[in-house]
PDB file of all heavy atoms in Angstrom:
ATOM      1  N   MET A 641     100.042  82.253  84.139  1.00  0.00           N
ATOM      2  CA  MET A 641      98.855  83.031  84.489  1.00  0.00           C
ATOM      3  C   MET A 641      99.218  84.193  85.408  1.00  0.00           C
ATOM      4  O   MET A 641      98.538  85.218  85.403  1.00  0.00           O
ATOM      5  CB  MET A 641      97.805  82.135  85.134  1.00  0.00           C
ATOM      6  CG  MET A 641      97.007  81.307  84.137  1.00  0.00           C
ATOM      7  SD  MET A 641      96.250  82.289  82.783  1.00  0.00           S
ATOM      8  CE  MET A 641      95.124  83.344  83.697  1.00  0.00           C
ATOM      9  N   ASP A 642     100.299  84.047  86.175  1.00  0.00           N
ATOM     10  CA  ASP A 642     100.738  85.181  86.995  1.00  0.00           C
ATOM     11  C   ASP A 642     101.101  86.369  86.110  1.00  0.00           C
ATOM     12  O   ASP A 642     100.755  87.517  86.419  1.00  0.00           O
ATOM     13  CB  ASP A 642     101.947  84.790  87.852  1.00  0.00           C
ATOM     14  CG  ASP A 642     101.566  83.894  89.026  1.00  0.00           C
ATOM     15  OD1 ASP A 642     100.364  83.868  89.381  1.00  0.00           O
ATOM     16  OD2 ASP A 642     102.471  83.233  89.583  1.00  0.00           O
ATOM     17  N   PHE A 643     101.799  86.086  85.010  1.00  0.00           N
ATOM     18  CA  PHE A 643     102.162  87.160  84.084  1.00  0.00           C
ATOM     19  C   PHE A 643     100.915  87.750  83.425  1.00  0.00           C
ATOM     20  O   PHE A 643     100.764  88.970  83.327  1.00  0.00           O
ATOM     21  CB  PHE A 643     103.118  86.649  83.011  1.00  0.00           C
ATOM     22  CG  PHE A 643     103.491  87.683  81.981  1.00  0.00           C
ATOM     23  CD1 PHE A 643     104.472  88.617  82.243  1.00  0.00           C
ATOM     24  CD2 PHE A 643     102.846  87.717  80.757  1.00  0.00           C
ATOM     25  CE1 PHE A 643     104.811  89.585  81.304  1.00  0.00           C
ATOM     26  CE2 PHE A 643     103.171  88.673  79.805  1.00  0.00           C
ATOM     27  CZ  PHE A 643     104.160  89.610  80.088  1.00  0.00           C
ATOM     28  N   VAL A 644     100.008  86.883  82.978  1.00  0.00           N
ATOM     29  CA  VAL A 644      98.774  87.356  82.346  1.00  0.00           C
ATOM     30  C   VAL A 644      97.962  88.194  83.334  1.00  0.00           C
ATOM     31  O   VAL A 644      97.419  89.247  82.978  1.00  0.00           O
ATOM     32  CB  VAL A 644      97.938  86.174  81.823  1.00  0.00           C
ATOM     33  CG1 VAL A 644      96.573  86.650  81.323  1.00  0.00           C
ATOM     34  CG2 VAL A 644      98.680  85.454  80.709  1.00  0.00           C
ATOM     35  N   ASN A 645      97.902  87.756  84.593  1.00  0.00           N
ATOM     36  CA  ASN A 645      97.174  88.518  85.606  1.00  0.00           C
ATOM     37  C   ASN A 645      97.819  89.874  85.847  1.00  0.00           C
ATOM     38  O   ASN A 645      97.133  90.866  86.117  1.00  0.00           O
ATOM     39  CB  ASN A 645      97.116  87.732  86.916  1.00  0.00           C
ATOM     40  CG  ASN A 645      96.140  86.568  86.844  1.00  0.00           C
ATOM     41  OD1 ASN A 645      95.147  86.628  86.127  1.00  0.00           O
ATOM     42  ND2 ASN A 645      96.428  85.504  87.584  1.00  0.00           N
ATOM     43  N   GLU A 646      99.146  89.918  85.722  1.00  0.00           N
ATOM     44  CA  GLU A 646      99.846  91.198  85.861  1.00  0.00           C
ATOM     45  C   GLU A 646      99.472  92.138  84.713  1.00  0.00           C
ATOM     46  O   GLU A 646      99.236  93.329  84.922  1.00  0.00           O
ATOM     47  CB  GLU A 646     101.357  90.956  85.880  1.00  0.00           C
ATOM     48  CG  GLU A 646     102.171  92.200  86.229  1.00  0.00           C
ATOM     49  CD  GLU A 646     103.659  91.913  86.337  1.00  0.00           C
ATOM     50  OE1 GLU A 646     104.049  90.739  86.176  1.00  0.00           O
ATOM     51  OE2 GLU A 646     104.422  92.861  86.574  1.00  0.00           O
ATOM     52  N   VAL A 647      99.384  91.584  83.501  1.00  0.00           N
ATOM     53  CA  VAL A 647      98.947  92.372  82.354  1.00  0.00           C
ATOM     54  C   VAL A 647      97.521  92.873  82.573  1.00  0.00           C
ATOM     55  O   VAL A 647      97.209  94.049  82.344  1.00  0.00           O
ATOM     56  CB  VAL A 647      99.025  91.545  81.051  1.00  0.00           C
ATOM     57  CG1 VAL A 647      98.368  92.296  79.900  1.00  0.00           C
ATOM     58  CG2 VAL A 647     100.472  91.221  80.712  1.00  0.00           C
ATOM     59  N   ILE A 648      96.657  91.978  83.023  1.00  0.00           N
ATOM     60  CA  ILE A 648      95.260  92.345  83.267  1.00  0.00           C
ATOM     61  C   ILE A 648      95.168  93.467  84.301  1.00  0.00           C
ATOM     62  O   ILE A 648      94.405  94.426  84.135  1.00  0.00           O
ATOM     63  CB  ILE A 648      94.463  91.109  83.737  1.00  0.00           C
ATOM     64  CG1 ILE A 648      94.301  90.116  82.576  1.00  0.00           C
ATOM     65  CG2 ILE A 648      93.094  91.509  84.292  1.00  0.00           C
ATOM     66  CD1 ILE A 648      93.736  88.766  82.995  1.00  0.00           C
ATOM     67  N   LYS A 649      95.960  93.364  85.358  1.00  0.00           N
ATOM     68  CA  LYS A 649      95.950  94.380  86.410  1.00  0.00           C
ATOM     69  C   LYS A 649      96.477  95.713  85.905  1.00  0.00           C
ATOM     70  O   LYS A 649      95.869  96.766  86.128  1.00  0.00           O
ATOM     71  CB  LYS A 649      96.800  93.902  87.591  1.00  0.00           C
ATOM     72  CG  LYS A 649      96.824  94.876  88.761  1.00  0.00           C
ATOM     73  CD  LYS A 649      97.677  94.312  89.899  1.00  0.00           C
ATOM     74  CE  LYS A 649      97.741  95.302  91.062  1.00  0.00           C
ATOM     75  NZ  LYS A 649      98.580  94.766  92.182  1.00  0.00           N
ATOM     76  N   LYS A 650      97.607  95.674  85.201  1.00  0.00           N
ATOM     77  CA  LYS A 650      98.206  96.907  84.689  1.00  0.00           C
ATOM     78  C   LYS A 650      97.282  97.590  83.687  1.00  0.00           C
ATOM     79  O   LYS A 650      97.215  98.818  83.617  1.00  0.00           O
ATOM     80  CB  LYS A 650      99.552  96.606  84.033  1.00  0.00           C
ATOM     81  CG  LYS A 650     100.634  96.181  85.009  1.00  0.00           C
ATOM     82  CD  LYS A 650     101.101  97.336  85.868  1.00  0.00           C
ATOM     83  CE  LYS A 650     102.271  96.916  86.745  1.00  0.00           C
ATOM     84  NZ  LYS A 650     102.736  98.030  87.608  1.00  0.00           N
ATOM     85  N   GLN A 651      96.571  96.775  82.888  1.00  0.00           N
ATOM     86  CA  GLN A 651      95.701  97.322  81.856  1.00  0.00           C
ATOM     87  C   GLN A 651      94.299  97.632  82.361  1.00  0.00           C
ATOM     88  O   GLN A 651      93.486  98.178  81.635  1.00  0.00           O
ATOM     89  CB  GLN A 651      95.576  96.335  80.692  1.00  0.00           C
ATOM     90  CG  GLN A 651      96.879  95.952  80.056  1.00  0.00           C
ATOM     91  CD  GLN A 651      96.937  96.420  78.631  1.00  0.00           C
ATOM     92  OE1 GLN A 651      97.909  96.983  78.235  1.00  0.00           O
ATOM     93  NE2 GLN A 651      95.901  96.232  77.861  1.00  0.00           N
ATOM     94  N   LYS A 652      94.058  97.227  83.621  1.00  0.00           N
ATOM     95  CA  LYS A 652      92.735  97.425  84.209  1.00  0.00           C
ATOM     96  C   LYS A 652      91.658  96.766  83.341  1.00  0.00           C
ATOM     97  O   LYS A 652      90.611  97.349  83.052  1.00  0.00           O
ATOM     98  CB  LYS A 652      92.440  98.920  84.397  1.00  0.00           C
ATOM     99  CG  LYS A 652      93.434  99.610  85.328  1.00  0.00           C
ATOM    100  CD  LYS A 652      93.117 101.096  85.492  1.00  0.00           C
ATOM    101  CE  LYS A 652      94.131 101.759  86.410  1.00  0.00           C
ATOM    102  NZ  LYS A 652      93.883 103.217  86.562  1.00  0.00           N
ATOM    103  N   ILE A 653      91.949  95.557  82.894  1.00  0.00           N
ATOM    104  CA  ILE A 653      91.024  94.818  82.044  1.00  0.00           C
ATOM    105  C   ILE A 653      89.873  94.291  82.898  1.00  0.00           C
ATOM    106  O   ILE A 653      90.094  93.657  83.932  1.00  0.00           O
ATOM    107  CB  ILE A 653      91.743  93.665  81.327  1.00  0.00           C
ATOM    108  CG1 ILE A 653      92.821  94.228  80.389  1.00  0.00           C
ATOM    109  CG2 ILE A 653      90.767  92.792  80.550  1.00  0.00           C
ATOM    110  CD1 ILE A 653      93.659  93.174  79.698  1.00  0.00           C
ATOM    111  N   SER A 654      88.667  94.535  82.482  1.00  0.00           N
ATOM    112  CA  SER A 654      87.483  94.177  83.252  1.00  0.00           C
ATOM    113  C   SER A 654      87.181  92.686  83.140  1.00  0.00           C
ATOM    114  O   SER A 654      87.626  91.996  82.212  1.00  0.00           O
ATOM    115  CB  SER A 654      86.277  94.981  82.770  1.00  0.00           C
ATOM    116  OG  SER A 654      85.922  94.571  81.462  1.00  0.00           O
ATOM    117  N   ASN A 655      86.377  92.191  84.091  1.00  0.00           N
ATOM    118  CA  ASN A 655      85.962  90.782  84.066  1.00  0.00           C
ATOM    119  C   ASN A 655      85.123  90.479  82.830  1.00  0.00           C
ATOM    120  O   ASN A 655      85.221  89.387  82.258  1.00  0.00           O
ATOM    121  CB  ASN A 655      85.173  90.457  85.331  1.00  0.00           C
ATOM    122  CG  ASN A 655      86.057  90.382  86.562  1.00  0.00           C
ATOM    123  OD1 ASN A 655      87.240  90.058  86.475  1.00  0.00           O
ATOM    124  ND2 ASN A 655      85.488  90.682  87.722  1.00  0.00           N
ATOM    125  N   SER A 656      84.300  91.452  82.413  1.00  0.00           N
ATOM    126  CA  SER A 656      83.466  91.230  81.233  1.00  0.00           C
ATOM    127  C   SER A 656      84.323  91.081  79.987  1.00  0.00           C
ATOM    128  O   SER A 656      84.022  90.288  79.094  1.00  0.00           O
ATOM    129  CB  SER A 656      82.477  92.390  81.062  1.00  0.00           C
ATOM    130  OG  SER A 656      83.150  93.625  80.961  1.00  0.00           O
ATOM    131  N   PHE A 657      85.432  91.823  79.936  1.00  0.00           N
ATOM    132  CA  PHE A 657      86.352  91.705  78.807  1.00  0.00           C
ATOM    133  C   PHE A 657      87.006  90.327  78.804  1.00  0.00           C
ATOM    134  O   PHE A 657      87.145  89.687  77.757  1.00  0.00           O
ATOM    135  CB  PHE A 657      87.407  92.804  78.900  1.00  0.00           C
ATOM    136  CG  PHE A 657      88.437  92.768  77.800  1.00  0.00           C
ATOM    137  CD1 PHE A 657      88.199  93.378  76.595  1.00  0.00           C
ATOM    138  CD2 PHE A 657      89.647  92.113  77.982  1.00  0.00           C
ATOM    139  CE1 PHE A 657      89.152  93.346  75.580  1.00  0.00           C
ATOM    140  CE2 PHE A 657      90.598  92.073  76.981  1.00  0.00           C
ATOM    141  CZ  PHE A 657      90.335  92.692  75.779  1.00  0.00           C
ATOM    142  N   ILE A 658      87.397  89.865  79.992  1.00  0.00           N
ATOM    143  CA  ILE A 658      88.030  88.554  80.109  1.00  0.00           C
ATOM    144  C   ILE A 658      87.051  87.453  79.690  1.00  0.00           C
ATOM    145  O   ILE A 658      87.421  86.499  78.996  1.00  0.00           O
ATOM    146  CB  ILE A 658      88.530  88.333  81.546  1.00  0.00           C
ATOM    147  CG1 ILE A 658      89.643  89.345  81.867  1.00  0.00           C
ATOM    148  CG2 ILE A 658      89.059  86.912  81.722  1.00  0.00           C
ATOM    149  CD1 ILE A 658      90.023  89.390  83.323  1.00  0.00           C
ATOM    150  N   LYS A 659      85.785  87.607  80.091  1.00  0.00           N
ATOM    151  CA  LYS A 659      84.773  86.628  79.695  1.00  0.00           C
ATOM    152  C   LYS A 659      84.615  86.603  78.185  1.00  0.00           C
ATOM    153  O   LYS A 659      84.435  85.549  77.584  1.00  0.00           O
ATOM    154  CB  LYS A 659      83.439  86.961  80.366  1.00  0.00           C
ATOM    155  CG  LYS A 659      83.410  86.662  81.860  1.00  0.00           C
ATOM    156  CD  LYS A 659      82.053  87.006  82.452  1.00  0.00           C
ATOM    157  CE  LYS A 659      82.012  86.700  83.947  1.00  0.00           C
ATOM    158  NZ  LYS A 659      80.698  87.069  84.540  1.00  0.00           N
ATOM    159  N   ARG A 660      84.666  87.795  77.568  1.00  0.00           N
ATOM    160  CA  ARG A 660      84.544  87.873  76.110  1.00  0.00           C
ATOM    161  C   ARG A 660      85.702  87.145  75.424  1.00  0.00           C
ATOM    162  O   ARG A 660      85.560  86.618  74.320  1.00  0.00           O
ATOM    163  CB  ARG A 660      84.503  89.335  75.676  1.00  0.00           C
ATOM    164  CG  ARG A 660      84.317  89.524  74.176  1.00  0.00           C
ATOM    165  CD  ARG A 660      84.031  90.993  73.863  1.00  0.00           C
ATOM    166  NE  ARG A 660      83.960  91.168  72.432  1.00  0.00           N
ATOM    167  CZ  ARG A 660      84.987  91.538  71.663  1.00  0.00           C
ATOM    168  NH1 ARG A 660      86.154  91.768  72.210  1.00  0.00           N
ATOM    169  NH2 ARG A 660      84.847  91.674  70.367  1.00  0.00           N
ATOM    170  N   ALA A 661      86.848  87.101  76.091  1.00  0.00           N
ATOM    171  CA  ALA A 661      88.013  86.405  75.548  1.00  0.00           C
ATOM    172  C   ALA A 661      87.988  84.911  75.881  1.00  0.00           C
ATOM    173  O   ALA A 661      88.955  84.200  75.606  1.00  0.00           O
ATOM    174  CB  ALA A 661      89.294  87.040  76.075  1.00  0.00           C
ATOM    175  N   GLY A 662      86.891  84.460  76.493  1.00  0.00           N
ATOM    176  CA  GLY A 662      86.761  83.041  76.785  1.00  0.00           C
ATOM    177  C   GLY A 662      86.951  82.680  78.239  1.00  0.00           C
ATOM    178  O   GLY A 662      86.788  81.516  78.625  1.00  0.00           O
ATOM    179  N   GLY A 663      87.356  83.677  79.072  1.00  0.00           N
ATOM    180  CA  GLY A 663      87.589  83.417  80.485  1.00  0.00           C
ATOM    181  C   GLY A 663      88.999  82.950  80.760  1.00  0.00           C
ATOM    182  O   GLY A 663      89.727  82.508  79.866  1.00  0.00           O
ATOM    183  N   LYS A 664      89.409  83.031  82.028  1.00  0.00           N
ATOM    184  CA  LYS A 664      90.781  82.695  82.389  1.00  0.00           C
ATOM    185  C   LYS A 664      91.111  81.222  82.171  1.00  0.00           C
ATOM    186  O   LYS A 664      92.252  80.876  81.848  1.00  0.00           O
ATOM    187  CB  LYS A 664      91.048  83.093  83.848  1.00  0.00           C
ATOM    188  CG  LYS A 664      91.160  84.603  84.048  1.00  0.00           C
ATOM    189  CD  LYS A 664      91.642  84.946  85.445  1.00  0.00           C
ATOM    190  CE  LYS A 664      91.818  86.449  85.608  1.00  0.00           C
ATOM    191  NZ  LYS A 664      92.315  86.818  86.947  1.00  0.00           N
ATOM    192  N   GLU A 665      90.124  80.364  82.331  1.00  0.00           N
ATOM    193  CA  GLU A 665      90.388  78.938  82.117  1.00  0.00           C
ATOM    194  C   GLU A 665      90.749  78.665  80.660  1.00  0.00           C
ATOM    195  O   GLU A 665      91.673  77.901  80.364  1.00  0.00           O
ATOM    196  CB  GLU A 665      89.163  78.119  82.522  1.00  0.00           C
ATOM    197  CG  GLU A 665      88.945  78.047  84.026  1.00  0.00           C
ATOM    198  CD  GLU A 665      87.821  77.112  84.392  1.00  0.00           C
ATOM    199  OE1 GLU A 665      87.274  76.448  83.470  1.00  0.00           O
ATOM    200  OE2 GLU A 665      87.488  77.019  85.586  1.00  0.00           O
ATOM    201  N   ALA A 666      90.016  79.322  79.747  1.00  0.00           N
ATOM    202  CA  ALA A 666      90.309  79.158  78.318  1.00  0.00           C
ATOM    203  C   ALA A 666      91.664  79.754  77.976  1.00  0.00           C
ATOM    204  O   ALA A 666      92.426  79.187  77.176  1.00  0.00           O
ATOM    205  CB  ALA A 666      89.216  79.817  77.485  1.00  0.00           C
ATOM    206  N   ILE A 667      91.978  80.907  78.572  1.00  0.00           N
ATOM    207  CA  ILE A 667      93.274  81.551  78.338  1.00  0.00           C
ATOM    208  C   ILE A 667      94.401  80.637  78.806  1.00  0.00           C
ATOM    209  O   ILE A 667      95.408  80.442  78.111  1.00  0.00           O
ATOM    210  CB  ILE A 667      93.342  82.918  79.050  1.00  0.00           C
ATOM    211  CG1 ILE A 667      92.382  83.907  78.392  1.00  0.00           C
ATOM    212  CG2 ILE A 667      94.770  83.465  79.037  1.00  0.00           C
ATOM    213  CD1 ILE A 667      92.244  85.224  79.136  1.00  0.00           C
ATOM    214  N   GLU A 668      94.235  80.055  79.993  1.00  0.00           N
ATOM    215  CA  GLU A 668      95.290  79.203  80.564  1.00  0.00           C
ATOM    216  C   GLU A 668      95.573  77.994  79.680  1.00  0.00           C
ATOM    217  O   GLU A 668      96.721  77.555  79.554  1.00  0.00           O
ATOM    218  CB  GLU A 668      94.895  78.761  81.966  1.00  0.00           C
ATOM    219  CG  GLU A 668      95.992  78.042  82.709  1.00  0.00           C
ATOM    220  CD  GLU A 668      95.685  77.860  84.177  1.00  0.00           C
ATOM    221  OE1 GLU A 668      94.523  78.089  84.587  1.00  0.00           O
ATOM    222  OE2 GLU A 668      96.619  77.483  84.927  1.00  0.00           O
ATOM    223  N   LYS A 669      94.549  77.469  79.030  1.00  0.00           N
ATOM    224  CA  LYS A 669      94.720  76.311  78.162  1.00  0.00           C
ATOM    225  C   LYS A 669      95.560  76.620  76.929  1.00  0.00           C
ATOM    226  O   LYS A 669      96.170  75.731  76.342  1.00  0.00           O
ATOM    227  CB  LYS A 669      93.358  75.777  77.732  1.00  0.00           C
ATOM    228  CG  LYS A 669      92.575  75.097  78.845  1.00  0.00           C
ATOM    229  CD  LYS A 669      91.227  74.607  78.341  1.00  0.00           C
ATOM    230  CE  LYS A 669      90.431  73.949  79.459  1.00  0.00           C
ATOM    231  NZ  LYS A 669      89.094  73.496  78.991  1.00  0.00           N
ATOM    232  N   GLU A 670      95.593  77.910  76.522  1.00  0.00           N
ATOM    233  CA  GLU A 670      96.313  78.299  75.307  1.00  0.00           C
ATOM    234  C   GLU A 670      97.679  78.918  75.571  1.00  0.00           C
ATOM    235  O   GLU A 670      98.382  79.307  74.636  1.00  0.00           O
ATOM    236  CB  GLU A 670      95.478  79.293  74.489  1.00  0.00           C
ATOM    237  CG  GLU A 670      94.210  78.717  73.891  1.00  0.00           C
ATOM    238  CD  GLU A 670      93.562  79.689  72.905  1.00  0.00           C
ATOM    239  OE1 GLU A 670      94.292  80.350  72.136  1.00  0.00           O
ATOM    240  OE2 GLU A 670      92.319  79.788  72.918  1.00  0.00           O
ATOM    241  N   LEU A 671      98.074  79.043  76.831  1.00  0.00           N
ATOM    242  CA  LEU A 671      99.286  79.787  77.175  1.00  0.00           C
ATOM    243  C   LEU A 671     100.519  79.322  76.418  1.00  0.00           C
ATOM    244  O   LEU A 671     101.344  80.137  75.990  1.00  0.00           O
ATOM    245  CB  LEU A 671      99.554  79.697  78.681  1.00  0.00           C
ATOM    246  CG  LEU A 671      98.671  80.531  79.603  1.00  0.00           C
ATOM    247  CD1 LEU A 671      99.113  80.357  81.051  1.00  0.00           C
ATOM    248  CD2 LEU A 671      98.702  82.006  79.204  1.00  0.00           C
ATOM    249  N   ASP A 672     100.656  77.997  76.244  1.00  0.00           N
ATOM    250  CA  ASP A 672     101.872  77.481  75.603  1.00  0.00           C
ATOM    251  C   ASP A 672     101.909  77.736  74.105  1.00  0.00           C
ATOM    252  O   ASP A 672     102.896  77.430  73.436  1.00  0.00           O
ATOM    253  CB  ASP A 672     102.033  75.984  75.878  1.00  0.00           C
ATOM    254  CG  ASP A 672     100.886  75.149  75.319  1.00  0.00           C
ATOM    255  OD1 ASP A 672      99.853  75.739  74.923  1.00  0.00           O
ATOM    256  OD2 ASP A 672     101.012  73.911  75.288  1.00  0.00           O
ATOM    257  N   GLN A 673     100.839  78.319  73.547  1.00  0.00           N
ATOM    258  CA  GLN A 673     100.786  78.594  72.112  1.00  0.00           C
ATOM    259  C   GLN A 673     101.157  80.034  71.766  1.00  0.00           C
ATOM    260  O   GLN A 673     101.193  80.402  70.599  1.00  0.00           O
ATOM    261  CB  GLN A 673      99.375  78.306  71.595  1.00  0.00           C
ATOM    262  CG  GLN A 673      98.909  76.880  71.809  1.00  0.00           C
ATOM    263  CD  GLN A 673      97.469  76.683  71.386  1.00  0.00           C
ATOM    264  OE1 GLN A 673      97.006  77.271  70.410  1.00  0.00           O
ATOM    265  NE2 GLN A 673      96.737  75.858  72.129  1.00  0.00           N
TER     266      GLN A 673
END
């Protein structure tokens, strides 16, 4: 998630965009895939 957060920061991805992707909790569950 540190790497994903770095991507989010560099890309200036908004919270609403993250929510549309299922939220950080959903993202974290899929990281190993």
Side-chain angles (χ1 to χ4, degrees):
M641 281 307 297
D642 286 341
F643 177 81
V644 173
N645 286 330
E646 189 176 358
V647 171
I648 290 170
K649 182 179 178 180
K650 291 289 185 181
Q651 302 244 133
K652 299 180 181 178
I653 297 176
S654 68
N655 287 332
S656 57
F657 179 85
I658 295 169
K659 287 181 180 178
R660 182 170 176 266
K664 287 189 177 181
E665 288 186 5
I667 292 172
E668 188 168 12
K669 289 179 181 178
E670 293 190 40
L671 285 182
D672 62 348
Q673 301 175 36

